[in-house]
Amino acid sequence: MLEAGKIDSKQAIFLMVSMVIGTALVFISSSTARLARQDSWISILLAILAGLMIAWLVVNLNLRFPGKTLFQYPEVILGRWPGKLVALLYIWFYIHVSAEIIREYGVFLVSAFMPETPMIVFEILIVAVAAYAVRNGLEVFTRVNQVILPVIIISVIILVVLAAREMDFKRLLPVYIDNGAVPIIKGAVTPALRMGEIVTMAVLIPYLKHTKKAYRIASTATMITGFLLLTAIAADLTIFGPEVTTGWFFPELNMVRMIHLANFLERMEALIMVTWVAGVLIKISVYYWAIALGSAQLLDLKDYRPLVLPVGVILLALSIMIHDSVMDLFVYTGTFVNFVLIIFEAVIPLFLLVVAVIRGQGRKQNQG
Amino acid sequence: MARFTKPLRSRLLGRRKSSSGKGDSSQEQAVENAFSNQELQKLELSADLQANLLQIMSILSDCSDVVCREFDFAQEERVKLALIYVDGLVDKTQVSDQIMRRLMLDAPLVKQDGEFTRARALNLIKKKLLTVHQIEETNQVDIVIDAVLSGDTVLLVDGHACAIISVARGWESRKIDESQTEMVVRGPREAFVETLRVNTSLLRRKIHNPNLKIETIKLGQVTKTDVAVVYIKGIVNDKIVTEVRERLSRIKIDAVLESGYIEELIEDSPWSPFSTVSHTERPDKVAAQLLEGRVAILVDGTPFALTVPVLFMESLQFPEDYYERALIASAVRLLRLFSMFATLLVPSLYVAIVTFHHEMLPTALLLSLAGQREAVPFPAFVEAFGMEFTFEILREAGIRLPRQVGQAVSIVGALIIGEAAVRAGLVGAATVIVVAFTGIASFAFLYTASISLRLLRFPVLVLAGTLGLYGVICGVLAILVHLATLRSFGVPYLSPVMLSGDMKDTAIRVPWWAMLKRPRIISMAAPQRVARGLKPTPPPARGKR
């Protein structure tokens, strides 16, 4: 086995939740509110449904091929070379998305906290920590996450509670009538695809202690993620209203800046920075691990660890080259990335599932 | 004392030399005039007393503390006896009263139906005469030598190729005393001492159970130190015991002078700043560890016992937590957790905020800080780093200094470095406060963890000085990842982490009636610890009946 670690259901849920909200929490509000306005919370609810569907799709596909990851079963389904091609595409997908995340991460830190520091410094540091975690295997960053996720959730709750004074639920009115269905559905696309990152379960399932609980893990993780996003977006909308929320790249950051407590607790951006950095660390670690593991499986290597350093260098270089400017990044994340995500989160898994069902593959292993 | 002839001695030495020439280990070749273990193992006692004495005394030659006493059995010249022991390691009254007196004077009084012949002497001595509580018989020279050097008294009987080892040990040692390094307000005060037997007895007195097993092995080729592996069968995780035995048996070292030698040779991550083997000098703590399924390693010659496996959370746990009421204990533990973070982070956060993130402070505080720092010629990072460094020097000096000069150091430390440096405008008052607070906080939890965190404080400080808050966060995350990679004898060091079971005894401690299970992460052998439903409920008030 390339990866000797095994994780239990709770750890898997934690990992999936962190992986999704690591970036989603900061980036979703603005783009969703731009389309669905005060009905963004309905978009999130729709997105949860979509997320559940993707989760079902992936888990169903995976359970047909026990012990095999996303990088291995396409070969069984499509034959050797087409299968390898699909696996290669997925590795590209993970490399691309990781580089994207690292870039988003650098941009956020530079623009929100330390504008004079070169972005690459932030990126090198976090990728180095992630590489250290990935080198030591799945169990390590899973345990790290068990400490980090509660911190993130508690921070979110604290922030929302402290900001509650500024909330006005009338800002959520009128419900639906203003917008109609189309903007709400359009608004749901981005959060749905963010939640669709649960597709990474396809790499994780073979390393679960109880594979049969995979459905429950995926659905629970999606529900928790959805609830957290719902809380965040509802807080943004009730505090700022849709217009103002749309105008900012990072509404959560401004929400924190609203907090004043006893003339002492002000400017708690540090808390956002902690949750952001910690969440991204987990997210990058999972993807990073998937890339290294997937490459090793594709190339039939005995160990993925020699790949950790080269993959890290590729990710860093790519993250710098991938966009020319911040605007480029936001245009890309607003439009094109959705196509990439749809293809890899829904279209390819669905295609694989259909082929597998038609060819009757996987059932035998499943029954036997 | 037996005078051995030169030729015989050289004969013995000559034989030794020839055997070492055959290619024994290099260490033995280096030591010219010494006997090796392998050689001793080959030697056996003969029936000739003088030959035995010569052999043994030539091995123990030039050891001025070895006493060899020859005398006649039961006042008759027919049977010769010889007693060998180390002066200072034996209980002299016992040796003279229970052994020599019995054999020389009391022997004729013992009723017997024959004469004191050589043939009967051995049995007679063993069965009827020696009133020592524990005796042993051997014909191996190496066992005899070992026994003599461990403080036993060896009796050689003429005409018999064997020696009687009587245990009559008694040497000067420190009395059982109050623990000096792990103090408690409430709870037993006794601490381990330097003698292994006393230490095992302290454990035995706490756990009256036949399942408390104490296995002893000898480690150190030169020192031959006794090392005991202690565990409770049925509670302990057998895999861990096997692992401990295996790791101990791998040790090949000349000397074991303290348990630290063993710690470094059996730990999982030798280069980690965190210790994956825990040590304590409190018997009650060791007993509690054993009852949770851990294994203890006791080493002769040191009051510090090792316990494995160790979890990171143990840095927050002190024996007193379990004697004090749960609510109070939990509050204190949270305080310790806070101190732990403070030790690692407070100076770094101070530097990061003062250097990079002024906006995070309330305006009034910021102004006051800026006012203080106006005259200071150094950046906050240099200031804090220098003060932390100075504090570490003071701390180290405080431990090593002779008592007589203690006052001088504390005056210099507190007054000159603290007060005068601020007055001279070299250091901001806030920096002194931060450093002093951190210094005090670092003593509020387990010393072992405190050293590790104090060490890690410096790299984090550098990160804070260069990258601000972001550097601090990354530093903490890197430490967290490192902690997650550690294992102590197969048990993840960071466990139990959030919501993973076994959480009842971590940053808080639940009352004893709720602590139903032993930590499953350490041993699954006997999970139940406390019976269900023991929560005390007050009886119904009298008037209502």
Side-chain angles (χ1 to χ4, degrees), chain A residues 90-315:
Chain A
Y90 266 103
I91 290 168
W92 173 81
F93 166 71
Y94 276 118
I95 291 178
H96 175 74
V97 175
S98 307
E100 202 70 47
I101 295 163
I102 295 170
R103 178 61 179 255
E104 282 178 10
Y105 169 83
V107 165
F108 176 77
L109 284 171
V110 167
S111 61
F113 294 105
M114 296 174 86
E116 283 165 34
T117 311
M119 191 163 60
I120 188 78
V121 176
F122 296 113
E123 299 184 357
I124 287 177
L125 218 55
I126 195 81
V127 171
V129 177
Y132 180 36
V134 170
R135 220 188 128 74
N136 285 293
L138 173 65
E139 283 188 3
V140 167
F141 58 80
T142 308
R143 277 199 289 273
V144 170
N145 181 47
Q146 274 179 291
V147 179
I148 284 177
L149 184 66
V151 172
I152 295 179
I153 292 182
I154 291 168
S155 313
V156 170
I157 292 172
I158 288 178
L159 290 180
V160 170
V161 168
L162 288 181
R165 202 183 56 158
E166 314 281 338
M167 286 182 187
D168 181 2
F169 282 86
K170 280 186 188 142
R171 294 196 177 111
L172 292 179
L173 296 175
V175 178
Y176 188 70
I177 295 169
D178 249 18
N179 284 321
V182 178
I184 295 178
I185 292 170
K186 272 187 183 169
V189 171
T190 306
L193 291 172
R194 293 285 181 168
M195 271 191 263
E197 283 169 0
I198 196 88
V199 77
T200 307
M201 275 293 281
V203 189
L204 201 67
I205 286 177
Y207 304 107
L208 292 178
K209 273 186 190 146
H210 309 287
T211 319
K212 281 177 187 163
K213 288 185 182 165
Y215 281 114
R216 237 179 60 201
I217 292 168
S219 54
T220 315
T222 309
M223 298 296 271
I224 295 174
T225 316
F227 175 74
L228 283 168
L229 292 182
L230 199 62
T231 313
I233 212 161
D236 285 335
L237 289 173
T238 50
I239 293 171
F240 300 120
E243 281 80 13
V244 183
T245 306
T246 312
W248 282 323
F249 289 139
F250 315 112
E252 272 72 20
L253 200 60
N254 292 299
M255 182 172 102
V256 176
R257 289 184 172 146
M258 301 283 293
I259 296 172
H260 299 278
L261 197 72
N263 280 329
F264 182 75
L265 275 181
E266 297 177 34
R267 301 253 165 176
M268 296 171 67
E269 289 107 318
L271 215 52
I272 281 275
M273 184 141 128
V274 171
T275 58
W276 172 245
V277 175
V280 167
L281 172 69
I282 297 300
K283 184 158 189 160
I284 295 178
S285 299
V286 175
Y287 282 15
Y288 198 155
W289 173 76
I291 297 166
L293 184 77
S295 313
Q297 286 176 340
L298 188 71
L299 302 171
D300 289 328
L301 302 182
K302 286 200 181 99
D303 190 2
Y304 73 80
R305 275 178 293 179
L307 297 175
V308 169
L309 186 65
V311 168
V313 173
I314 291 172
L315 290 182

